């Protein structure tokens, strides 16, 4: 295959440069070479993408690839194939693997595996503390040297305010962002859904919204104190959105993400689905007021980006009693169609806003390359077919896992082509790339 | 019986319409008559098989189901998880699939996880009866309480029923509040705020003052303080709990003179209920036990399709 490719006739949306126009995109040697109307192929392979949207490659900054340690749930190969199929050109891999990615050796392992097996770019996230035990800081500089782009103890929130303060200070010196899974475990211990009337009715122990927002408030105060940069993962409550909004207004270096499921689903679903464990995740699905606040936060920019918190689990980990089931759902192969159908088509976000929140914004939040189609940028491209209508079919997922509450949903707007460094890693016309 | 009973499972009171609750209670009255006969055995469910699967300790509920099964001539098998493969790590799904292979007509399950009976119903062909799941529901307890109320008061509609104590952990409180509301009674829930879950007002009016709950009540249902589930600093001491919420002879005086007092058992004497009250004349705690067998016979009978209506 030639290393020159011409994407012809698509609607190019590049929010970082304020571009929204029908243009051809010429790709050469893995980079965007030229954009403009009616470009000459000059020997390049031509792909007709008329009627489609050509966007900077989507980046999911919150993904659990499970490798090393839980390759029965997902591997770097399968997780990144799922990403490619879902329209993502890069993912950030959370460190809660076995062993935890808290050292240069594990970071290097992830990078090596990614080089061998990944379909899209993989950016590892290192742990905040050794073993994610919340006590001693991990060696950030070592991990950064091997490719870590941020630090997080996702899934194991840092309980000590002092340790979190030190993490912010130390990461600041290295230009790293600290990503926090905000949860006060003393308030949420033993909980398996959102606290409220639905949990009461179902007899399930509920975690109050406050178990998230108290830690968001703490983190913002500590970011303000230290001048460090904090990113709030999977924000799910109205109080937390409000805290981030206030923090940003006073100039604190805080950013935030929200997941498609927190933008679209509420705790009532646990009751409707009669304890279906595909509705169990952490943070849990909240109430309608929280959901609307998260959506409003995404619209007004309080929430910078969409991230999936892709959390693959085996059937056995989910096909058990509700309170025994693993937390989390897969998201890489449903995020884009859900966003196009339920956020853009439903009128909550413009297409340009959506592209921004899934490409340039996540790149900006973690300082990653990409997020634009500027000439000279890596040719990471997501092409969207806004007209395609299809059903979510978990049995066809490239991910090893099927744990999703969205199975069977009919959605309009799907990824058509995914290009990483100019190479086609997913093509809807030939699903088995 | 007019129309056939429309439910195959009894997962809770919530899915039942008032008329079906009444049908269960009416059938239970008939069953109580059977229990009063010199020969307490009818062939109604001969050839039908029932499995009692108890993941949590139970004296009353389990023996009551077993008695009901015997009286109705069902073939039954009881599995206590303490002595079964569950101790070897068998999952609920595998246990269910193995039981299913024996082709039982009904599985009666008690389980510590809310929603476990719904899980079983999704994976088994048998009728599922919820004998108590986590803090969710305990429908046969609510039915036997209703039967007791109806027996003692002649009606359920319009009765003021105080439900007092550890509401947050109580499946009995939830099922009772739902049932009483469906049948037109006036339940009122009472307990200290840490034991009242968020949104509990969806069931019934709520008060934190026991005297207000008991004032003019026709019946008082005392809930067991579930100390084994209290890992989260709910209360300073059982002593102070008794001072504030314990049912004493003095407090009972605020209720109607003919008040009756129910307790699902097992009781913590001296904690939620004083011994003089538990053993006093207004206590119907032992009638509840008798009615428990009758109600469970009715559940077996109606869910298994009546088997010829020979009761």
């Amino acid at each position: 295959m030639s290393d020159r490719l011409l994407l012809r006739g698509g609607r190019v949306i590049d929010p970082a440069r304020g571009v929204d126009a029908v243009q051809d995109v010429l790709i050469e040697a893995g980079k965007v070479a030229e954009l403009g109307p009616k470009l000459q192929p000059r020997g390049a392979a031509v792909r007709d993408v008329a009627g489609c949207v050509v966007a900077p490659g989507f980046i999911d900054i919150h993904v659990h690839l499970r490798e090393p340690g839980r390759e029965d749930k997902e591997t770097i190969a399968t997780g990144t194939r799922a990403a490619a199929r879902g329209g993502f050109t890069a993912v950030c891999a959370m460190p809660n693997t076995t062993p935890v990615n808290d050292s240069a050796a594990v970071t290097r392992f992830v990078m090596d595996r990614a080089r061998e097996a990944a379909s899209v770019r993989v950016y590892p996230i290192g742990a905040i503390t050794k073993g994610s035990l919340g006590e001693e800081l991990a060696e950030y500089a070592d991990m950064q040297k091997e490719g870590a782009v941020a630090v997080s103890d996702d899934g194991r929130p840092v309980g000590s305010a002092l340790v979190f303060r030190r993490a912010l200070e130390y990461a600041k010196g290295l230009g790293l962002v600290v990503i926090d899974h905000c949860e006060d475990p003393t308030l949420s211990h033993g909980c398996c859904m959102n606290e409220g009337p639905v949990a009461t009715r179902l007899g399930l122990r509920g975690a109050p919204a406050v178990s998230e927002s108290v830690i968001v408030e703490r983190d913002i105060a500590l970011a303000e104190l230290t001048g460090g940069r904090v990113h709030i993962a999977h924000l799910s409550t109205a109080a937390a959105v409000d805290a981030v909004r206030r923090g940003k207004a006073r100039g604190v270096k805080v950013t935030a993400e929200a997941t498609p499921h927190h933008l679209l689903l509420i705790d009532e679903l646990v009751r409707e689905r009669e304890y279906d464990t595909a509705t169990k995740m952490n943070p849990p699905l909240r109430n309608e007021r929280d959901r609307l606040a998260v959506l409003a936060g995404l619209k007004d920019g309080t929430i910078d980006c969409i991230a999936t918190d892709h959390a693959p689990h085996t059937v056995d980990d989910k096909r058990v009693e509700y309170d025994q089931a693993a937390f989390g759902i897969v998201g890489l192969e449903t995020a884009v169609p859900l966003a196009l159908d339920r956020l853009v088509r439903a009128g909550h976000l413009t297409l340009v806003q959506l592209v921004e929140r899934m490409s340039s914004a996540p790149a900006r939040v973690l300082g990653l390359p990409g997020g634009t189609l500027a000439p000279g940028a890596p040719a990471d491209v997501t092409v969207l077919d806004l007209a395609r209508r299809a059903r979510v079919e978990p049995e066809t997922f490239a991910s090893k896992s099927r744990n999703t509450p969205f199975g069977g949903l009919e959605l309009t707007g799907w990824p058509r082509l995914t290009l990483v460094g100019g190479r086609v890693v997913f093509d809807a016309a030939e699903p088995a790339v | 019986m007019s129309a056939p009973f429309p439910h195959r499972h009894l997962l809770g009171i919530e899915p039942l319409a008032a008329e079906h609750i009444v049908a269960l209670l009416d059938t239970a009255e008939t069953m109580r008559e059977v229990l009063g006969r010199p020969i307490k055995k009818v062939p109604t469910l001969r050839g039908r098989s029932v499995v009692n699967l108890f993941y949590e300790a139970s004296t009353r509920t389990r023996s009551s189901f077993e008695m009901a099964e015997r009286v109705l001539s069902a073939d039954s098998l009881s599995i206590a998880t303490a002595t079964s493969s569950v101790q070897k790590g068998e999952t609920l799904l595998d246990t269910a699939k193995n039981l299913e292979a024996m082709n039982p007509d009904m599985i009666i399950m008690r389980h510590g996880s809310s929603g476990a009976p719904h899980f079983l119903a999704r994976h088994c062909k048998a009728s599922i009866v919820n004998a108590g799941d986590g803090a969710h529901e305990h429908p046969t307890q609510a039915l036997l309480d209703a039967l007791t109320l109806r027996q003692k008061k002649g009606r359920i509609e319009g009765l003021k029923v105080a439900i007092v104590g550890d509401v947050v952990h109580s499946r009995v409180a939830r099922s009772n509040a739902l049932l009483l509301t469906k049948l037109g009674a006036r339940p009122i829930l009472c307990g200290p705020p840490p034991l009242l879950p968020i949104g509990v007002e969806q069931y019934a009016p709520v008060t934190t003052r026991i005297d207000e709950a008991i004032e003019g009540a026709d019946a008082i249902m005392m809930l067991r303080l579930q100390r084994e589930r209290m890992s989260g600093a709910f209360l300073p001491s059982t002593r102070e709990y008794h001072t504030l919420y314990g049912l004493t002879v003095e407090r009972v005086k605020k209720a109607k003179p003919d008040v009756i007092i129910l307790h699902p058992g097992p009781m913590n004497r001296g904690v939620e209920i004083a011994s003089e009250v538990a053993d006093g004349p207004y206590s119907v705690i032992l009638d509840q036990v008798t009615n428990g067998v009758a109600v469970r016979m009715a559940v077996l009978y109606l869910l298994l399709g009546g088997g010829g209506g020979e009761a």
Side-chain angles (χ1 to χ4, degrees), chain A residues 192-390:
Chain A
C192 54
M193 71 173 292
N194 183 43
E195 183 176 81
V198 182
T200 293
R201 190 65 162 232
L202 294 175
L204 292 172
R205 204 185 286 192
V210 169
S211 62
E212 173 176 270
S213 60
V214 286
I215 301 297
V216 173
E217 298 275 10
R218 177 198 77 173
D219 287 1
I220 291 171
L222 291 171
E224 189 166 28
L225 172 71
T226 60
R229 287 194 50 201
V230 67
H231 175 74
I232 311 296
H234 45 51
L235 198 145
S236 71
T237 60
V241 176
D242 183 54
V244 172
R245 191 176 284 124
R246 281 184 279 110
K248 284 189 166 182
R250 6 181 245 281
V252 181
K253 294 183 187 114
V254 55
T255 52
E257 72 194 28
T259 69
H261 48 279
H262 291 113
L263 288 161
L264 298 173
L265 305 177
I266 57 170
D267 58 0
E268 194 59 53
L269 190 69
V270 186
R271 180 170 164 176
E272 275 169 34
R273 300 267 178 99
E274 296 192 320
Y275 302 90
D276 178 357
T277 58
T279 63
K280 182 177 174 182
M281 60 285 281
N282 189 18
L285 298 176
R286 303 291 187 180
N287 64 29
E288 183 64 359
R289 195 181 138 263
D290 288 316
R291 187 186 75 87
L292 293 174
V294 173
L295 191 56
L298 183 69
K299 280 191 223 184
D300 72 17
T302 301
I303 296 169
D304 298 79
C305 61
I306 294 174
T308 66
D309 193 5
H310 178 81
H313 290 295
T314 63
V315 170
D316 291 340
D317 287 325
K318 281 290 195 179
R319 208 169 49 188
V320 292
E321 298 87 322
Y322 198 85
D323 57 2
Q324 308 290 312
F327 290 100
I329 61 171
V330 290
L332 285 168
E333 289 168 86
T334 50
V336 167
L338 284 169
L340 288 173
D341 190 301
R342 300 298 162 98
L343 297 179
V344 176
R345 266 168 55 91
H348 298 298
L349 285 185
T350 65
L351 193 55
V352 176
Q353 284 175 320
L354 179 75
V355 169
E356 193 265 339
R357 282 155 183 67
M358 297 189 81
S359 61
S360 54
R364 167 177 52 77
V365 163
L366 294 188
L368 304 173
T372 176
L373 292 174
D380 293 3
V381 185
T382 296
V383 179
L384 305 168
D385 179 349
L386 302 185
R388 179 164 178 242
R389 185 159 180 81

Side-chain angles (χ1 to χ4, degrees), chain A residues 89-161:
Chain A
T89 59
V91 296
C92 294
M94 280 294 174
N96 61 335
T97 46
T98 312
V100 169
N101 183 6
D102 61 357
S103 67
V106 181
T107 307
R108 192 182 316 131
F109 169 84
V110 172
M111 291 301 280
D112 286 348
R113 288 294 296 140
R115 259 188 295 278
E116 292 160 21
S119 299
V120 305
R121 298 181 199 277
V122 175
Y123 300 113
I125 294 169
I128 296 175
T129 59
K130 288 181 183 146
S132 285
L133 296 174
E135 289 158 13
E136 298 169 70
L137 298 188
E139 293 171 326
Y140 301 170
D142 262 16
M143 294 189 288
Q144 187 179 30
K145 198 162 135 257
E146 295 296 335
V149 295
V151 292
S152 179
D153 277 354
D154 189 56
R156 295 282 300 269
V158 179
S160 159

Side-chain angles (χ1 to χ4, degrees), chain B residues 226-305:
Chain B
Q226 300 191 35
R227 285 179 284 184
E228 72 278 14
R229 298 190 215 268
M230 297 223 181
S231 54
F234 285 95
L235 298 171
S237 68
T238 52
R239 192 198 60 78
E240 184 156 300
Y241 180 75
H242 185 70
T243 312
L244 289 174
Y245 291 96
L247 191 62
T248 57
V249 174
E250 208 46 43
R251 284 194 167 124
V252 174
K253 286 178 187 157
K254 297 196 173 61
K256 289 224 177 102
D258 62 345
V259 67
I260 60 171
I261 292 163
L262 300 91
H263 192 298
M267 286 185 278
N268 295 307
R269 288 171 181 265
V271 181
E272 70 265 1
I273 190 163
S275 273
E276 312 86 83
V277 177
D279 303 330
Y282 25 61
S283 167
V284 295
I285 292 167
L286 297 177
D287 300 83
Q288 288 175 273
V289 178
T290 314
N291 283 331
V293 179
V295 151
R296 280 146 191 149
M297 287 169 71
V299 168
L300 288 162
Y301 175 78
L302 289 178
L303 292 191
L304 290 178

Side-chain angles (χ1 to χ4, degrees), chain B residues 149 153 155-164 180 184-190 205 207 209-221 254-256 258-260 262:
Chain B
L149 280 175
K153 297 288 170 191
R155 68 191 165 101
I156 289 175
E157 196 174 350
L159 296 179
K160 178 177 178 180
V161 182
I163 302 176
V164 182
L180 291 167
R186 293 181 295 122
I188 178 166
L189 295 162
C190 173
T207 176
R209 292 178 26 231
I210 188 171
D211 290 343
E212 197 179 299
I214 291 177
E215 181 80 47
D218 296 284
I220 305 169
M221 294 179 170
K254 297 196 173 61
K256 289 224 177 102
D258 62 345
V259 67
I260 60 171
L262 300 91

Side-chain angles (χ1 to χ4, degrees), chain B residues 55-288:
Chain B
Y55 281 84
E56 278 188 334
S58 163
T59 308
R60 257 159 301 271
T61 304
R62 183 172 154 190
S63 53
S64 170
F65 269 111
E66 288 175 353
M67 180 69 86
E69 289 149 13
R70 278 173 207 165
V71 174
L72 292 174
S73 304
D75 294 316
S76 73
L77 169 71
S78 291
I79 298 170
T81 55
T83 55
S84 75
S85 295
V86 170
Q87 289 305 305
K88 301 174 188 163
E90 186 167 77
T91 64
L92 177 56
L93 182 67
D94 285 336
T95 303
K97 288 287 170 203
N98 279 281
L99 292 176
E100 185 79 348
M102 298 181 214
N103 226 351
D105 295 296
M106 177 181 277
I107 299 173
I108 293 161
M109 183 171 73
R110 163 161 299 185
H111 199 290
S113 296
S114 300
H118 302 71
F119 178 87
L120 209 58
R122 267 200 289 276
H123 294 285
C124 292
K125 291 193 290 289
S127 279
I128 306 299
V129 174
N130 179 3
D133 66 324
H136 175 233
E137 282 228 42
H138 191 352
T140 57
Q141 178 71 43
L143 287 164
L144 75 89
D145 288 342
L147 187 64
T148 309
L149 280 175
R150 207 167 78 163
Q151 183 186 14
K152 299 291 173 186
K153 297 288 170 191
R155 68 191 165 101
I156 289 175
E157 196 174 350
L159 296 179
K160 178 177 178 180
V161 182
I163 302 176
V164 182
D166 186 356
V167 177
V168 68
H169 297 110
S170 180
R171 51 198 175 212
V172 174
R174 285 169 174 79
S175 286
N176 264 311
L178 288 167
L179 185 151
L180 291 167
T181 305
K182 283 176 194 261
L183 293 194
R186 293 181 295 122
I188 178 166
L189 295 162
C190 173
L195 298 182
L196 296 171
I198 301 275
V200 72
E201 313 75 33
Q202 68 188 301
Y203 291 95
V206 178
T207 176
T208 56
R209 292 178 26 231
I210 188 171
D211 290 343
E212 197 179 299
I214 291 177
E215 181 80 47
D218 296 284
I220 305 169
M221 294 179 170
M222 295 306 295
L223 303 171
R224 183 172 69 87
L225 196 63
Q226 300 191 35
R227 285 179 284 184
E228 72 278 14
R229 298 190 215 268
M230 297 223 181
S231 54
F234 285 95
L235 298 171
S237 68
T238 52
R239 192 198 60 78
E240 184 156 300
Y241 180 75
H242 185 70
T243 312
L244 289 174
Y245 291 96
L247 191 62
T248 57
V249 174
E250 208 46 43
R251 284 194 167 124
V252 174
K253 286 178 187 157
K254 297 196 173 61
K256 289 224 177 102
D258 62 345
V259 67
I260 60 171
I261 292 163
L262 300 91
H263 192 298
M267 286 185 278
N268 295 307
R269 288 171 181 265
V271 181
E272 70 265 1
I273 190 163
S275 273
E276 312 86 83
V277 177
D279 303 330
Y282 25 61
S283 167
V284 295
I285 292 167
L286 297 177
D287 300 83
Q288 288 175 273

